[in-house]
Amino acid sequence: MARYLLGRVCSEFFMPGMVDTHIHAPQYSFAGTRVDLPLLQWLTTYTFPTEAKYKDSDFAEEVYTRVVRRTLKNGTTTACYFATIHTDTSLLLAEIIDKFGQRAFVGKVCMDMNDSVPQYKETTEDSVQETERFVQELLEKKYPRVQPVITPRFGPSCTEDLLCALGNLAQARDLHVQSHISENEEELKLVENMFPAYQNYTELYDKNKLLTSKTVMAHACYLSEEELKLFSLRGAAISHCPNSNFSLRSGVLNVQKVLKNNVKLGLGTDIAGGYSASMLDAIRKAMMASNGLQVNKVNETGLTLEEAFQLATLGGSQALGLDDVIGNFEVGKEFDALLINTKASDSPFDLFSADNFEDTLQKFLYLGDDRNISEVYVAGKQVVPFSSSV
């Protein structure tokens, strides 16, 4: 694995590219700010008004170009993106991703309910028709590594009619699905009140054909054992977004419980509820969340750094149904990889002669950043440093 061995210290090595299973591209414009409100108030005050601006293709192009560049520089070779309700700029995001060579799913957001910011919603009919147009036009582009994903925002933003129509579309076109579930307790109560005919939040998605082996649901902090069993039965995945869960004070996902129920699990940055666009941060926050559950005697054991690293790579590829293509360096898979230079001139950490490879890798995972990621490859093609054509 190591390219050079200096004494016992390895200065360069390849690692699998990281997989961000949940990121909101339009929210990148305010990432690192405005995490001072709980989820529902945060959406109303900051997020919906910002996302409404993405009708403007010039604004969208600037932000979308920057978020793709930033995530690639940070070692995200695959990302599962939410865009906005605007079809044309959502297609623009896919075009930019293709141009930079990242592997991705892109979703046009669907929402036909939004009393708090009424200018940022669609009619049910428009939402379905525009989603069909988005899927059709994106597939016609034949981008080699960018695929559409059906994206109902979350229960409180959608009528039952919209969820049902999107489930039918996902089934008819055999498409991936992404949304949010059980992120915070206020949201959970809202869903119970809005959809009293359903036993729980998971059943709302399941009965509307949105919980499948191609589904990834973000957060899932408050799922019951019964709901986790249904996730496992359907083969649906969870995106663990610990930075966002802490920053918006939403909750803590019990990863041990999810894995014990045999549910597929990856990590997500969840820009901009999560303030960092780096999957290294997601690894670190996943460790902190796990440690916190151990400190509070919820779990007897916690995640190891090795397990958190796996969630950011192979786990993410499993969550997105890409584990036959990427996630590790098994023979026959595509080469999505990062070249890590631990001796970069401005590296944020130091190595010592006694450090072995495991020490070196741990230091990078805990202390490293984009300064140590000297090259990024997607499907064998070098995409960082960026070519002059992009």
Side-chain angles (χ1 to χ4, degrees):
M1 194 180 189
R3 211 194 242 193
Y4 304 115
L5 290 169
L6 304 177
R8 291 175 64 198
V9 180
C10 159
S11 76
E12 283 193 299
F13 60 90
F14 281 108
M15 64 170 264
M18 291 183 283
V19 180
D20 188 345
T21 56
H22 186 71
I23 175 171
H24 293 264
Q27 295 173 22
Y28 182 64
S29 64
F30 67 96
T33 69
R34 306 182 201 169
V35 284
D36 56 340
L37 294 172
L39 174 67
L40 299 183
Q41 294 73 17
W42 177 83
L43 288 170
T44 300
T45 309
Y46 306 129
T47 306
F48 293 154
T50 300
E51 290 191 12
K53 296 178 185 172
Y54 284 78
K55 265 197 309 255
D56 177 348
S57 59
D58 290 340
F59 177 66
E61 183 170 17
E62 182 191 3
V63 180
Y64 288 164
T65 299
R66 289 190 182 196
V67 71
V68 174
R69 286 180 67 99
R70 178 65 61 189
T71 53
L72 275 171
K73 268 180 64 157
N74 284 341
T76 300
T77 50
T78 299
C80 195
Y81 288 106
F82 276 59
T84 65
I85 66 174
H86 310 102
T87 305
D88 292 335
T89 51
S90 300
L91 288 165
L92 176 63
L93 172 58
E95 183 186 328
I96 290 165
I97 293 163
D98 176 67
K99 185 174 74 174
F100 278 94
Q102 195 174 41
R103 192 185 299 274
F105 291 95
V106 177
K108 182 205 97 60
V109 171
C110 299
M111 45 193 291
D112 62 348
M113 305 235 306
N114 191 358
D115 293 340
S116 58
V117 186
Q119 71 272 25
Y120 189 58
K121 68 174 180 181
E122 315 154 284
T123 66
T124 309
E125 189 182 3
D126 282 350
S127 189
V128 176
Q129 284 180 356
E130 285 300 295
T131 300
E132 287 172 344
R133 177 166 81 88
F134 172 76
V135 168
Q136 189 60 35
E137 291 190 21
L138 181 44
L139 291 174
E140 282 170 3
K141 297 283 186 189
K142 293 190 163 50
Y143 296 136
R145 281 170 286 280
V146 185
Q147 300 178 54
V149 51
I150 298 296
T151 307
R153 184 174 209 108
F154 69 152
S157 291
C158 301
T159 60
E160 207 171 342
D161 286 348
L162 179 56
L163 292 173
C164 180
L166 293 175
N168 288 336
L169 177 59
Q171 185 181 53
R173 302 294 297 262
D174 192 26
L175 296 168
H176 284 74
V177 175
Q178 64 176 350
S179 193
H180 303 85
I181 195 167
S182 295
E183 184 172 351
N184 91 349
E185 289 176 307
E186 194 184 356
E187 169 213 12
L188 205 51
K189 288 194 183 73
L190 189 56
V191 169
E192 279 173 17
N193 292 333
M194 286 174 65
F195 302 100
Y198 295 89
Q199 277 186 299
N200 52 49
Y201 206 160
T202 302
E203 190 179 88
L204 174 66
Y205 289 126
D206 186 51
K207 289 273 172 77
N208 287 292
K209 303 179 187 170
L210 290 164
L211 196 76
T212 73
S213 61
K214 289 189 159 187
T215 295
V216 58
M217 289 283 170
H219 304 290
C221 297
Y222 299 97
L223 293 186
S224 64
E225 289 281 340
E226 183 189 1
E227 289 176 280
L228 285 169
K229 284 184 170 62
L230 187 53
F231 262 76
S232 179
L233 186 67
R234 297 287 184 256
I238 290 170
S239 173
H240 177 29
C241 305
N243 185 316
S244 172
N245 292 343
F246 285 137
S247 295
L248 300 183
R249 298 162 296 287
S250 298
V252 182
L253 177 69
N254 189 332
V255 167
Q256 308 296 78
K257 195 165 116 177
V258 172
L259 296 176
K260 200 175 76 201
N261 277 282
N262 205 23
V263 176
K264 294 182 296 193
L265 185 68
L267 298 182
T269 58
D270 192 26
I271 289 293
Y275 54 74
S276 171
S278 170
M279 285 297 294
L280 290 171
D281 175 82
I283 289 172
R284 294 161 195 168
K285 297 297 191 297
M287 291 299 296
M288 290 298 166
S290 173
N291 292 349
L293 290 172
Q294 238 186 310
V295 167
N296 288 307
K297 309 280 190 292
V298 176
N299 291 337
E300 285 180 22
T301 58
L303 276 179
T304 64
L305 185 60
E306 189 180 335
E307 287 169 330
F309 173 72
Q310 186 172 22
L311 291 177
T313 51
L314 185 62
S317 72
Q318 290 165 341
L320 299 180
L322 294 172
D323 47 308
D324 56 337
V325 183
I326 58 162
N328 57 18
F329 291 149
E330 275 182 19
V331 174
K333 289 193 182 185
E334 295 187 13
F335 188 65
D336 285 17
L338 316 178
L339 179 62
I340 308 304
N341 180 4
T342 59
K343 295 282 186 76
S345 59
D346 52 354
S347 176
F349 61 91
D350 294 296
L351 294 177
F352 297 90
S353 57
D355 290 336
N356 59 25
F357 178 65
E358 190 177 347
D359 298 325
T360 304
L361 179 59
Q362 287 196 11
K363 284 188 175 185
F364 168 68
L365 294 177
Y366 273 130
L367 300 169
D369 60 26
D370 60 317
R371 288 170 289 187
N372 301 107
I373 302 172
S374 56
E375 294 172 7
V376 178
Y377 295 83
V378 176
K381 178 173 183 267
Q382 188 176 319
V383 294
V384 175
F386 300 114
S387 73
S388 53
S389 63
V390 296

